[in-house]
Amino acid sequence: MKQRLSFLFKTYLWLIIMFILQKPLFMLFHYDLFNTTSFMDWIQVMYHGLPLDFSVASYILALPVLVTLLTVWIQGLWAEMFYKAYFALIIAVLSIVFIVDIELYTYWGFRMDTTPLFYLKSPSDAMASVPFWVLVLGIICIVLYFLLFWYPINHWFIKGSRKWKFCKHRIKSSCWFLLLLGLLFIPIRGGISVATLNVGRVYYSDNMLLNHAAINPVFSLLASLSKGHDFKQQYRFMDAKKADREFAKLTSDHLYFPENDSVRWITQKRPDILLIILESFSGTAMEKLGGTPGIMPNLSRLAEEGIFFTNFYANSFRTDRGLVSILSGYPAQPTTSIMKYPVKSQSLPAISKSLREAGYDMQFLYGGDANFTNMRSYFVSSGFQSIISDSDFPVGDLLSKWGANDGTTFARFEHLIKTQQVHPFMKVFLTLSSHEPFDVPFHRFDDPYLNSVAYTDSCLGAFIDRFRQTPQWENTLIVLVPDHAMRYPAGIQEHDILRHHIPMIWCGGVVKGPKTITDYASQIDIAATLLGQMDIDYSDFRFSKNLADSTQYKFAYYTFKDGFGFVDSESKVIYDNEAGKTILSEGDTAKNKETYGKALLQKLYDDLGSR
């Protein structure tokens, strides 16, 4: 009996020790983010992370407790073989999750959830963002971490199980192991109170970096998996009637079509439309938005001659979510992506659907894999008649890890426009060169992200200059908007408002003239605004607002992992649902805006669950 209990206790303790050590390892890897923290901060991170560590260790130990109970009745080497196989598998998974999580945090700014699992449906595309040396180093680190974790359990604990003796009091011993199994459920659920354990339990500091460091990435992943598909039960901030009342304040009960020239921004109701979605173009990299000088000279030039939206925001941090926000006017979800569920995404309204019904020819162009993250199914169901992707380019043009670089795809875009026979048409072009790993045939800036953005900007400028010389320019509206922003400069947090600030520009021959729009807005507002300018019904886009409508309340809304930001001309609010609290509240009306944001998120998940 004592030998068996000793084995379980030592194994549990070793699991806890390894989980505790993950915290300083995580902080050392991201030392540039934690170099100003004190020694006590490091201790506090390890201490406050213990509830999640105890929970994960208890999950892992539950099955070995049952097997140990069986050894009271059935002797033999089978138990040792089981322990070896079980812990080898478990530790392999723990090692992969820890190393992948520690690297992904560099790019995403949050701990592990189900998002990477979604992208692994297209592993070659997912790996395109990872430099080869990082992949090799990551595999080496996984192996080393596995060996460090596995050796003590295998050589010090498991091997002793072959020497276990028969228990003299089998029934009594069995009862003790059953009691132990029951006791494990206390740390698994986080105590005996009504509230069960969640990631927010370890949030203890106003510094979100320290809270993130305290999270056990395996628990974070399990919590994300447990959310499942019951969307109508998520984000229940208020009763349904109150949510309806608050949400109604954010929407309009009427359509608005411009009645005079002062609010009609384009000269034609049925222009040809080029929607160019710029991969990862951040406002922090654009001088006209207070960002880095010299990175986007062409975009800045177009902003001066077109309609420039200065307080515009991305709704999320990933391309699949940004595309749906832009084309369907549908807010990004903080815990999932509707594009992951074709049965739901096909029911969404889309600018492309509305324009196709109005007689438009629809085409989508992307130099990468259009099957990545279910994009193709979404575009087909959204009314696109033609989808051109990497498989439509010669192999010699696929020079980057993601596919054809932007110089090549802009040339293809130009050719498609010149040979277009049917009018009016809409062409959507998603660029890719400014995506990690920022591999571009261009060397002007030391920072790889800024260099890649400058490259795409140069391709855009060259395309615009050539297209301006053609007769088609006078009949064309060009909409330039990023799919999302980038975590630039270093140190910016995923939830930060600045992290989501992006430019949007309308230009082309049908734009009446230079105009600056300072109203707060986000990608979900493109649908109602564009269709409204064209006198096309946009009532299906219930989350989208028409920016030309002076009676419409103007605000920007975005989501990050398990939270949201809400910004208008008066207030700024950031709410973190994991922490269960507001982490930024500025302005006299901030409390009301927090309620608005919660109501919008609740109604979004109501809608998501009903599709």
Side-chain angles (χ1 to χ4, degrees), residues 168-395:
K168 294 181 180 180
H169 307 286
R170 294 187 181 184
I171 294 178
K172 182 179 179 181
S173 298
S174 297
C175 290
W176 278 110
F177 285 118
L178 287 173
L179 176 62
L180 177 60
L181 184 63
L183 291 174
L184 285 179
F185 282 91
I186 295 176
I188 283 175
R189 73 184 306 277
I192 58 175
S193 63
V194 175
T196 56
L197 188 65
N198 56 65
V199 172
R201 179 76 69 87
V202 305
Y203 281 39
Y204 72 96
S205 172
D206 291 331
N207 183 343
M208 293 303 294
L209 286 171
L210 297 178
N211 295 331
H212 288 173
I215 294 172
N216 184 304
V218 175
F219 187 94
S220 181
L221 176 60
L222 291 173
S224 182
L225 287 168
S226 68
K227 293 182 183 296
H229 308 321
D230 192 4
F231 298 113
K232 286 189 175 182
Q233 297 306 313
Q234 297 180 38
Y235 298 112
R236 302 296 94 185
F237 297 111
M238 60 196 75
D239 65 70
K241 289 184 178 179
K242 183 176 181 181
D244 289 340
R245 289 195 304 270
E246 299 299 329
F247 182 65
K249 299 173 185 177
L250 308 179
T251 59
S252 177
D253 59 359
H254 66 276
L255 296 174
Y256 178 79
F257 302 128
E259 300 172 352
N260 54 64
D261 288 346
S262 64
V263 286
R264 189 173 293 280
W265 302 336
I266 57 178
T267 59
Q268 299 180 28
K269 292 185 179 180
R270 294 295 182 270
D272 293 332
I273 301 173
L274 304 179
L275 172 56
I276 302 177
I277 302 174
L278 302 163
E279 172 68 51
S280 303
F281 268 48
S282 295
T284 53
M286 186 178 188
E287 185 174 6
K288 287 186 71 66
L289 290 178
T292 306
I295 306 301
M296 307 179 190
N298 293 292
L299 201 65
S300 296
R301 170 168 57 93
L302 295 171
E304 292 175 355
E305 64 185 51
I307 303 172
F308 185 30
F309 298 77
T310 57
N311 289 313
F312 200 76
Y313 290 82
N315 285 102
S316 187
F317 60 94
R318 300 301 297 176
T319 299
D320 56 301
R321 304 179 192 194
L323 288 173
V324 175
S325 295
I326 292 168
L327 290 171
S328 293
Y330 199 71
Q333 304 89 59
T335 60
T336 189
S337 168
I338 193 172
M339 197 181 280
K340 182 179 179 181
Y341 310 98
V343 69
K344 292 180 179 290
S345 64
Q346 68 185 10
S347 69
L348 291 173
I351 295 172
S352 43
K353 281 183 182 178
S354 297
L355 292 185
R356 186 169 177 180
E357 291 174 1
Y360 272 70
D361 183 73
M362 304 300 307
Q363 188 174 59
F364 173 77
L365 170 66
Y366 178 51
D369 183 2
N371 294 308
F372 190 47
T373 66
N374 285 335
M375 282 199 299
R376 185 179 296 276
S377 67
Y378 171 69
F379 287 125
V380 170
S381 65
S382 296
F384 285 89
Q385 296 143 302
S386 172
I387 298 173
I388 299 172
S389 61
D390 57 354
S391 60
D392 300 299
F393 286 81
V395 174

Side-chain angles (χ1 to χ4, degrees), residues 121 144-145 172 264 314 370 382 407 499 517 560 596:
K121 290 182 178 180
L144 291 175
Y145 189 78
K172 182 179 179 181
R264 189 173 293 280
S382 296
R499 160 71 171 90
I517 306 294
F560 54 94
Y596 287 170

